[in-house]
Amino acid sequence: MKMKKFLLIALVAMAAIACSKGDDSVGVVDCPEGMGIVGLSVSPTTVVDGTRAQQQIPDGVTIPTVDDLKLKIVSEDANLDYSEEWENVTSFTEKSKKTYFVAGMYRAIVTFGDPQVEGVNKPYFVDDEGFNVVARQKNEVKLYPALANSIVKVEFSDTFKSYFENGAAITITSGNGNKWNVGYGIEAENGDNNQDGSTPYIFVESGKELIISGYAVKQKPSATIAAPKVVFEDVKESLSACTMCTYTFDITTAGNVSVTIAVTNEPVKEVEVSNGEELNDDAIE
């Protein structure tokens, strides 16, 4: 009888110790009364949306890690007043077991970059998730930050280049008024090209009107006549977040210049930009 009593006392003591240490496998933890802790899992998404399929973000673009993503947690209950920020997710997770939250509703927000800071390799990632903190539990929250600005690239078909062999100067103007000069063959006006002469991927704030404008220079009619310049009509579009839009200048079978707009390599729109000028030439046969 004494042995059974001793065993019972021992089991109760072991249970008390297990409770005080916490048992993450079942979410029960030792916390001040009415409080719980948060377990955060963050996995950035590396694709952009398309009309029918997704596509990987281009090589060379910075994909943030948990050391780069800023974290903010705010309360969503009217009776709670909580707002806290961490320099990165890592600084939170390192102390998450001793960071207590009053039971209630919260929202976690992770961000990387700034939507209004635009240019080459300027991605903006964001995600937010609401969650409920239950007292004396480890409350798991999963976040999948995705690209929240837009990627723009200008390209030229071989047919276009063969007709406008003396070059093209295209200006990309974002909704915030930032400008980039790209193209080929006109060095003074292609200053934002990559070092190898290719046109770059440019990140711009989404939801604002983007303008593609510029001109190209035809073949020289003769050694004594200057090469004619064709100024194109502006192409204006508002871009959605988490998309990659490619503007390809080409010559249509009718002999006009067109711009095909593709979202993640899927053409969605074609716009004629040659002001009605016929460009019939051997180069477009």
Side-chain angles (χ1 to χ4, degrees):
M1 185 69 177
K2 289 184 179 180
M3 180 62 70
K4 288 183 180 181
K5 187 176 181 180
F6 175 77
L7 289 173
L8 180 60
I9 293 171
L11 287 170
V12 171
M14 289 174 65
I17 292 170
C19 185
S20 66
K21 288 184 176 180
D23 184 355
D24 289 351
S25 63
V26 295
V28 177
V29 293
D30 178 40
C31 295
E33 185 176 353
M35 306 187 83
I37 64 173
V38 174
L40 206 60
S41 172
V42 181
S43 301
T45 301
T46 61
V47 296
V48 289
D49 295 332
T51 54
R52 291 187 293 180
Q54 293 181 320
Q55 181 179 337
Q56 288 291 317
I57 290 174
D59 292 341
V61 173
T62 300
I63 305 298
T65 68
V66 290
D67 292 328
D68 305 315
L69 287 154
K70 294 181 179 179
L71 171 66
K72 183 176 183 179
I73 298 179
V74 297
S75 58
E76 291 196 320
D77 279 352
N79 60 333
L80 295 178
D81 182 18
Y82 183 90
S83 178
E84 190 69 44
E85 297 183 21
W86 290 263
E87 183 179 353
N88 52 48
V89 173
T90 301
S91 62
F92 171 81
T93 55
E94 288 177 343
K95 299 179 180 179
S96 62
K97 290 185 178 181
K98 293 296 181 182
T99 303
Y100 305 117
F101 294 84
V102 175
M105 294 300 300
Y106 294 83
R107 182 162 296 274
I109 307 108
V110 289
T111 58
F112 172 78
D114 183 331
Q116 294 187 334
V117 176
E118 303 174 315
V120 177
N121 196 19
K122 297 295 183 182
Y124 171 56
F125 282 78
V126 66
D127 192 22
D128 67 279
E129 185 70 30
F131 62 96
N132 183 33
V133 171
V134 179
R136 297 191 67 249
Q137 287 192 17
K138 181 180 181 181
N139 303 271
E140 300 289 350
V141 181
K142 295 183 179 181
L143 292 161
Y144 302 94
L147 188 71
N149 53 359
S150 306
I151 308 174
V152 179
K153 184 175 174 64
V154 171
E155 295 183 342
F156 308 91
S157 72
D158 291 339
T159 303
F160 183 94
K161 287 183 174 181
S162 65
Y163 189 86
F164 292 102
E165 63 179 19
N166 286 300
I170 304 299
T171 299
I172 302 168
T173 305
S174 76
N176 292 321
N178 294 314
K179 297 178 183 290
W180 299 270
N181 297 312
V182 301
Y184 65 92
I186 308 175
E187 186 175 348
E189 298 192 44
N190 303 154
D192 292 307
N193 280 2
N194 295 322
Q195 289 186 349
D196 62 2
S198 62
T199 53
Y201 293 100
I202 296 172
F203 292 77
V204 298
E205 186 172 7
S206 60
K208 295 186 176 182
E209 186 177 70
L210 184 86
I211 301 174
I212 306 292
S213 59
Y215 67 89
V217 183
K218 293 182 180 181
Q219 303 158 331
K220 292 185 67 172
S222 69
T224 57
I225 300 176
K229 181 170 75 171
V230 176
V231 178
F232 304 128
E233 294 179 2
D234 293 351
V235 179
K236 301 179 180 181
E237 289 288 326
S238 293
L239 307 183
S240 299
C242 198
T243 57
M244 181 169 68
C245 296
T246 305
Y247 292 74
T248 303
F249 282 77
D250 196 5
I251 307 294
T252 68
T253 54
N256 290 314
V257 176
S258 69
V259 175
T260 298
I261 303 171
V263 178
T264 57
N265 293 334
E266 289 289 338
V268 295
K269 189 175 183 180
E270 184 175 275
V271 182
E272 288 194 354
V273 295
S274 60
N275 296 310
E277 179 178 352
E278 292 294 327
L279 300 175
N280 295 313
D281 190 90
D282 291 342
I284 59 175
E285 291 180 352

